[in-house]
Amino acid sequence: TFLREFHKRLAIQQVGGMIMRPWQEIQRFLTETPVTKLTFDNVDELGFACGHLTRQFSRQYWSHTKAGDQGKDFLVHRVMSFGSSLTPHTLWRRALSKFDEYALKLKMNLPQDFRRRNAVVLMEYARMEEEVKRQQDRFMAAFWAGYALQDLAS
């Protein structure tokens, strides 16, 4: 939209780049924007979206691996290996790009809307991969924010 482009071009610059939109706005954008119009302006927004989707998937994964009162933590069980640190590439390779595979194995009924939003995020990650490599700390900080805030109403 015009306003979005205006803000993108005239945003006040800080060390490390453009000021990020408020998290509530990013969350609304991620959940309410038609999939065909979903795109991200920077590493922060992409990281937030990755965290948001990972948490959403994690909740379903926990439910589908539940035995008694406890399910398996998706990040611990499937993404992080012993002694590894969590990086954007690790998240892309072991989490976001595997959601459909895990869902098939566990017979999870992932909503089509979730699958499509994840597909867009995967494509956006590929488009912004070099920028993500240069700004890994910003991506990871935004990832954890999106992960922690996913279930809050925007």
Side-chain angles (χ1 to χ4, degrees):
T1 67
F2 171 78
L3 280 178
R4 185 171 178 187
E5 193 62 31
F6 175 79
H7 287 293
K8 189 162 95 172
R9 292 180 187 203
L10 298 179
I12 300 169
Q13 296 293 311
Q14 290 184 331
V15 176
M18 206 166 45
I19 294 174
M20 191 167 86
R21 293 184 274 179
W23 69 269
Q24 298 94 331
E25 186 178 328
I26 297 169
Q27 190 162 338
R28 252 189 323 277
F29 174 75
L30 181 60
T31 59
E32 296 174 8
T33 300
V35 172
T36 57
K37 298 195 184 302
L38 201 56
T39 185
F40 301 97
D41 293 335
N42 56 52
V43 167
D44 301 296
E45 292 180 2
L46 180 62
F48 188 94
C50 290
H52 177 96
L53 290 173
T54 300
R55 178 60 170 223
Q56 194 173 352
F57 182 83
S58 293
R59 290 177 191 286
Q60 287 193 4
Y61 185 86
W62 186 89
S63 179
H64 277 78
T65 59
K66 192 173 174 184
D69 291 349
Q70 293 298 312
K72 293 181 181 176
D73 183 297
F74 175 70
L75 285 179
V76 172
H77 187 247
R78 291 291 184 178
V79 180
M80 296 182 73
S81 58
F82 181 75
S84 71
S85 60
L86 201 54
T87 65
H89 183 73
T90 301
L91 287 166
W92 171 80
R93 194 179 84 226
R94 294 186 187 165
L96 296 153
S97 68
K98 300 280 189 180
F99 289 161
D100 282 320
E101 182 180 329
Y102 296 137
L104 285 171
K105 284 181 181 179
L106 294 173
K107 296 183 171 105
M108 295 168 61
N109 187 19
L110 286 181
Q112 189 65 21
D113 186 66
F114 174 88
R115 290 174 188 258
R116 288 179 176 157
R117 288 178 192 285
N118 186 58
V120 169
V121 168
L122 286 169
M123 295 306 297
E124 288 289 280
Y125 183 93
R127 180 179 68 84
M128 298 173 71
E129 189 170 10
E130 290 304 313
E131 189 177 348
V132 170
K133 285 179 186 176
R134 288 191 303 272
Q135 297 183 40
Q136 284 190 45
D137 291 340
R138 291 182 70 102
F139 178 95
M140 291 307 300
F143 169 85
W144 286 116
Y147 190 85
L149 297 169
Q150 183 272 326
D151 63 339
L152 293 179
S154 45

